[in-house]
């Protein structure tokens, strides 16, 4: 792609970023109480102080993003563990019913053996009018002994299975409890970081908030321009797969919906909630969190990415977006923002992954 086209795309993305930042909601999600009114105190000195605020806010929201993915991971793990506990409980119920029936059969067999087995074989032979009848009866007795022995063995195995199910269920309950604690801890982290960010933003005057929005836009534009100036877009010309097109259609249809940590739609999303649901809508289930998407999905060179691929950001893989072509992404940025289009290079790219089943 030529320099002219890159310039047009950079301009278009810059406009999108500007509109997105300036039109963002004034309050972030999940505040338990209304944010205080802007401070009437002395204004911050321009430039350097507001830039420090911008960096501080970015740090706080990034920390909230990491904690959100921790929460999502704990929730996904808890769901799996709960399902396993239910399966074990079902096995225990079936095992107990099987054991009851086996014990009834074993009891009936023992009673029958007792009624017919009081005399020794020699007495049965002496009392029998027909030796062949005796031999036939002896054979049936042997078969009965073998059957009873097998029945008792099955009773023992079923009891052992039930004991193992109980141990497994106990272990899963302990893991489930640990997962609940992890979720609670992650939730506290999220709420703490968001509350600090809201407090910091609410202390700014209106003109300072406007200038802060400009600084955010300038930082995003600078990063995107540097990324485009590297010439990377000249090498990116991949075409979306059919699944990729469906995923992009879903993700872009959510533009304007609010960010909410832990949300998977349909009205609100966090970053990985948006990408995972987009690919589910395309018929491809993928991991819930950005970290697991990075770990489990096939890695693609940045220059080989195509619409529908997922762009993973930051060294800890704490944010994810969907590439939609022409150097742009769609993503759920952070609390207080909505699902939007941005430049793919506005944040540090860790790598790209491809969810497609064929992954070519």
């Amino acid at each position: 792609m030529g320099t002219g086209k890159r310039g047009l795309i950079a301009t278009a993305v810059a406009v999108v970023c500007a509109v997105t930042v300036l039109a963002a909601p004034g309050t972030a999600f999940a505040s338990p109480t209304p944010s205080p009114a802007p401070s009437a105190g002395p204004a911050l000195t321009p430039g350097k102080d507001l830039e420090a605020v911008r960096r501080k806010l970015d740090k706080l929201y990034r920390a909230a993003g990491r904690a959100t993915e921790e929460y999502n991971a704990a929730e996904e793990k808890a769901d799996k563990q709960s399902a396993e506990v239910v399966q074990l409980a079902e096995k225990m119920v079936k095992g107990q019913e099987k054991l009851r029936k086996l014990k009834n059969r074993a009891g009936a067999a023992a009673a029958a053996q007792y009624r017919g087995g009081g005399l020794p074989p020699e007495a049965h032979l002496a009392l029998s009018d027909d030796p062949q009848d005796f031999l036939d009866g002896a054979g049936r007795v042997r078969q009965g002994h073998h059957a009873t022995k097998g029945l008792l063995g099955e009773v023992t195995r079923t009891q052992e299975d039930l004991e193992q199910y109980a141990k497994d269920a106990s272990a899963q309950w302990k893991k489930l409890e640990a997962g609940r604690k992890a979720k609670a801890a992650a939730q506290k982290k999220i709420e703490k970081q968001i509350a600090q960010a809201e407090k910091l933003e609410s202390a700014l005057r209106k003109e300072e908030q406007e200038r802060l929005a400009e600084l955010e836009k300038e930082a995003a534009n600078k990063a995107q321009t540097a990324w485009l100036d590297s010439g990377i877009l000249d090498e990116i010309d991949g075409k979306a797969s059919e699944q990729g097109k469906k995923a992009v259609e879903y993700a872009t249809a959510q533009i304007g919906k609010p960010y909410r940590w832990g949300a998977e739609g349909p009205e609100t999303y966090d970053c990985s909630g948006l990408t995972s649901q987009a690919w589910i809508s395309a018929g491809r289930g993928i991991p819930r969190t950005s970290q697991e998407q990075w770990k489990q999905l096939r890695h693609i060179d940045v220059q080989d990415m195509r619409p529908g691929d997922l762009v993973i950001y930051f060294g800890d893989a704490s944010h994810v977006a969907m590439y939609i072509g022409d150097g742009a992404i769609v993503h759920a940025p952070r609390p207080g923002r909505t699902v939007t289009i941005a430049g793919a290079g506005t944040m540090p790219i860790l790598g790209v992954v491809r969810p497609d089943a064929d992954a070519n």
Side-chain angles (χ1 to χ4, degrees):
M1 182 177 294
T3 305
K5 186 173 181 182
R6 282 207 312 275
L8 290 173
I9 291 170
T11 302
V13 172
V15 171
V16 170
C17 291
V19 171
T20 299
V21 171
L22 294 175
T27 57
F29 170 77
S31 176
T33 56
S35 299
S39 170
L44 294 174
T45 55
K48 189 173 182 180
D49 287 344
L50 279 177
E51 176 59 24
V53 170
R54 186 193 70 78
R55 289 196 300 268
K56 177 65 174 177
L57 284 171
D58 184 63
K59 182 179 179 181
L60 288 170
Y61 281 122
R62 277 203 57 206
R66 285 193 296 271
T68 296
E69 293 304 276
E70 290 174 12
Y71 177 92
N72 292 336
E75 185 173 50
E76 187 176 38
K77 189 177 292 184
D79 288 343
K80 291 179 181 178
Q81 289 165 346
S82 295
E84 289 173 2
V85 169
V86 170
Q87 289 176 353
L88 286 167
E90 290 173 349
K91 287 181 178 180
M92 290 175 71
V93 170
K94 291 178 181 178
Q96 287 168 344
E97 178 62 19
K98 180 181 178 181
L99 184 61
R100 183 187 66 78
K101 291 179 179 179
L102 287 171
K103 285 183 174 179
N104 287 342
R105 285 171 55 193
Q113 245 182 353
Y114 174 78
R115 287 194 299 271
L119 297 174
E122 295 83 358
H124 281 287
L125 180 58
L127 294 171
S128 176
D129 295 330
D130 186 345
Q132 186 60 48
D133 286 344
F134 167 75
L135 292 175
D136 292 342
R140 286 193 294 271
V141 169
R142 282 196 301 272
Q143 291 173 1
H145 284 168
H146 288 311
T148 301
K149 187 176 180 181
L151 189 60
L152 293 175
E154 193 171 358
V155 168
T156 301
R157 288 192 296 273
T158 302
Q159 288 175 324
E160 290 173 349
D161 287 342
L162 283 170
E163 289 173 3
Q164 188 60 50
Y165 294 154
K167 289 179 182 178
D168 291 345
S170 177
Q172 287 300 332
W173 273 115
K174 289 179 181 178
K175 290 180 182 178
L176 191 57
E177 183 60 27
R180 286 173 179 158
K181 290 179 180 178
K183 274 181 63 176
Q187 182 172 345
K188 286 182 179 179
K189 286 182 188 177
I190 296 165
E191 292 171 345
K192 179 181 178 181
Q193 301 300 333
I194 292 175
Q196 288 179 356
E198 287 178 338
K199 183 178 180 180
L200 186 58
E201 287 181 298
S202 68
L204 300 175
R205 292 175 178 271
K206 182 179 179 181
E207 58 269 24
E208 291 171 338
Q209 291 177 348
E210 291 173 352
R211 177 55 186 156
L212 181 63
E214 290 177 5
L215 290 173
E216 291 176 351
K217 179 190 69 175
E218 289 169 6
N221 288 345
K222 182 178 179 181
Q224 176 71 357
T225 299
W227 186 69
L228 292 174
D229 285 348
S230 70
I232 187 67
L233 207 56
D234 292 340
E235 303 177 48
I236 301 175
D237 59 358
K239 305 298 181 184
S241 66
E242 287 305 311
Q243 279 190 312
K245 289 177 183 177
K246 291 178 182 178
V248 169
E249 287 173 4
Y250 180 96
T252 52
Q254 313 313 310
I255 289 173
K257 293 184 178 180
Y259 177 102
R260 179 182 176 185
W261 62 265
E264 300 176 79
E267 299 303 324
T268 56
Y269 295 88
D270 63 21
C271 67
S272 58
L274 176 66
T275 54
S276 59
Q277 288 301 310
W279 272 99
I280 287 173
S281 76
R284 175 68 170 167
I286 65 173
R288 169 65 175 90
T289 68
S290 57
Q291 286 92 348
E292 289 304 309
Q293 288 170 6
W294 174 242
K295 287 179 184 177
Q296 296 185 35
L297 300 179
R298 181 183 173 189
H299 289 205
I300 301 295
D301 290 338
V302 174
Q303 61 267 27
D304 293 329
M305 69 180 174
R306 65 192 188 192
D309 288 346
L310 305 183
V311 186
I312 310 296
Y313 291 97
F314 306 112
D316 55 6
S318 58
H319 190 68
V320 60
M322 179 177 292
Y323 185 65
I324 59 174
D326 292 334
I329 56 169
V330 60
H331 71 145
R334 65 167 174 83
R337 298 289 188 260
T338 61
V339 176
T340 189
I341 292 175
T346 54
M347 297 168 284
I349 296 175
L350 176 62
V352 178
V353 293
R354 180 162 296 166
D356 299 60
D358 57 3
N360 292 326

